[in-house]
């Protein structure tokens, strides 16, 4: 099925026939998110160098946090992005884990993104936020293979591949062609996507909407928020801990 296709692309399954080739780096987000037993920040950086204060990498890091709806979580986690998560740390909800996993993949700046129904663990409002600001906006220059059961989103795809358990996909094409298909999913997609329009018609409007809602100074505001949070926490900690908080990338 759909997950099997993605597993084949990343080499976890061997195709029965034919060849499967990819070009460039691949980032994969599975249906069940996994996180490391380390800080939220380290989970997202995933071995990449810590961004220097004021650098473009730091701005991109906070832009990714915002696009993945994680900024509000920094306000409630006891040590913000330095909070240890995982088995030995703070327990995150399924939706929070999924958003961390998405942020990790997006920050990796890969060439190809395989997203396996990654919005199913978050509520509809958060899913809309991530789809618009992250998948449609931050990943607009990437090749994205997005598996979903949310038919409201299919109108935004450049190409739709319908899978139904058969060896051959019964449909491959754009949304306008999909609407004419005599299939219950096509009819349902027409009903749920009636207010969104097609990708070709909505790209410029969507970019303008997100651009007006995400000024270039946005990431700097997020950084200042993190700085304020770190300063507040540091003032309440013993002196031996203050240096650690101040050196933690806030």
């Amino acid at each position: 099925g759909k997950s099997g296709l993605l597993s084949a692309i990343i080499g976890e399954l061997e195709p029965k026939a034919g060849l499967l080739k990819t070009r460039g780096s691949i980032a994969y987000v599975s249906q069940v998110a996994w996180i490391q037993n380390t800080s939220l920040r380290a989970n997202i950086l995933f071995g990449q160098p810590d961004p220097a204060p004021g650098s473009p990498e730091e701005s991109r890091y906070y832009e990714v946090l915002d696009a993945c709806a994680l900024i509000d979580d920094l306000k409630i986690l006891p040590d913000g992005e330095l909070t240890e998560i995982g088995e030995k740390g703070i327990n995150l909800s399924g939706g929070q884990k999924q958003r961390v996993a998405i942020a990790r993949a997006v920050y990796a700046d890969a060439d190809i993104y395989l997203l396996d129904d990654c919005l199913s663990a978050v509520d509809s409002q958060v899913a809309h936020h991530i789809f618009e600001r992250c998948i449609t906006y931050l990943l607009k220059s990437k090749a994205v293979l997005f598996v979903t059961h949310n038919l409201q989103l299919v109108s935004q795809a450049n190409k739709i591949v319908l899978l139904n358990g058969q060896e051959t996909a019964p449909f491959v094409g754009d949304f306008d062609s999909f609407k004419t298909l005599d299939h219950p999913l096509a009819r349902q997609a027409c009903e749920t996507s009636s207010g969104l329009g097609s990708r070709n018609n909505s790209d410029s409007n969507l970019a303008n909407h997100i651009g007006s809602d995400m000024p270039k100074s946005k990431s700097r505001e997020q950084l200042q928020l993190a700085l304020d949070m770190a300063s507040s926490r540091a003032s309440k900690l013993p002196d031996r801990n203050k240096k650690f908080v101040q050196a933690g990338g806030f």
Side-chain angles (χ1 to χ4, degrees):
K2 300 177 291 298
S3 297
L5 173 62
L6 300 192
S7 296
I9 293 175
I10 62 177
E12 289 189 352
L13 289 179
E14 187 73 20
K16 291 182 178 180
L19 295 176
L20 199 160
K21 295 183 179 181
T22 61
R23 182 174 60 187
S25 57
I26 298 176
Y28 170 63
V29 182
S30 63
Q31 283 182 316
V32 181
W34 65 272
I35 57 175
Q36 294 179 302
N37 190 53
T38 183
S39 69
L40 183 146
R41 183 181 180 92
N43 264 279
I44 295 174
L45 296 179
F46 200 51
Q48 295 193 61
D50 210 17
S55 66
E57 290 76 16
E58 184 189 54
S59 295
R60 186 169 70 87
Y61 170 78
Y62 284 106
E63 185 178 23
V64 169
L65 285 183
D66 177 73
C68 295
L70 284 168
I71 293 298
D72 286 342
D73 293 283
L74 298 184
K75 303 175 185 178
I76 60 176
L77 292 174
D79 289 311
E81 59 188 334
L82 291 184
T83 300
E84 185 175 359
I85 58 179
E87 293 182 359
K88 298 181 181 179
I90 295 294
N91 288 326
L92 299 183
S93 68
Q96 288 173 318
K97 290 179 182 179
Q98 194 64 272
R99 286 182 277 130
V100 170
I102 297 171
R104 178 173 56 230
V106 175
Y107 188 76
D109 195 26
D111 300 305
I112 302 171
Y113 281 84
L114 308 179
L115 309 179
D116 191 0
D117 205 17
C118 60
L119 301 182
S120 61
V122 301
D123 62 50
S124 59
Q125 184 176 357
V126 173
H128 181 75
H129 175 103
I130 295 175
F131 186 78
E132 278 202 343
R133 299 190 180 218
C134 182
I135 298 173
T136 307
Y137 186 69
L138 289 188
L139 300 182
K140 61 185 177 182
S141 63
K142 308 293 185 177
V144 180
L145 184 52
F146 180 55
V147 171
T148 183
H149 291 91
N150 187 348
L151 295 176
Q152 188 177 13
L153 303 178
V154 298
S155 65
Q156 303 302 304
N158 297 112
K159 181 169 291 186
I160 299 168
V161 179
L162 179 63
L163 299 179
N164 61 359
Q166 300 176 3
E167 291 188 2
T168 303
F171 175 82
V172 178
D174 59 20
F175 183 66
D176 288 336
S177 299
F178 185 63
K179 289 189 298 183
T180 66
L181 189 66
D182 185 18
H183 192 283
L185 290 180
R187 292 189 290 270
Q188 187 177 348
C190 291
E191 295 173 359
T192 58
S193 305
S194 58
L196 293 178
S198 67
R199 178 71 175 268
N200 293 334
N201 294 332
S202 62
D203 267 349
S204 59
N205 292 336
L206 183 59
N208 291 335
H209 166 69
I210 296 177
S212 64
D213 198 28
M214 294 179 63
K216 292 183 179 180
S217 60
K218 181 77 172 182
S219 59
R220 299 305 306 166
E221 295 172 3
Q222 295 159 6
L223 173 60
Q224 186 59 53
L225 169 63
L227 286 168
D228 293 342
M229 291 166 56
S231 299
S232 176
R233 286 194 304 274
S235 66
K236 301 175 183 178
L237 293 174
D239 290 340
R240 66 179 181 274
N241 291 333
K242 290 183 179 179
K243 187 175 181 180
F244 168 76
V245 173
Q246 293 169 354
F250 283 93

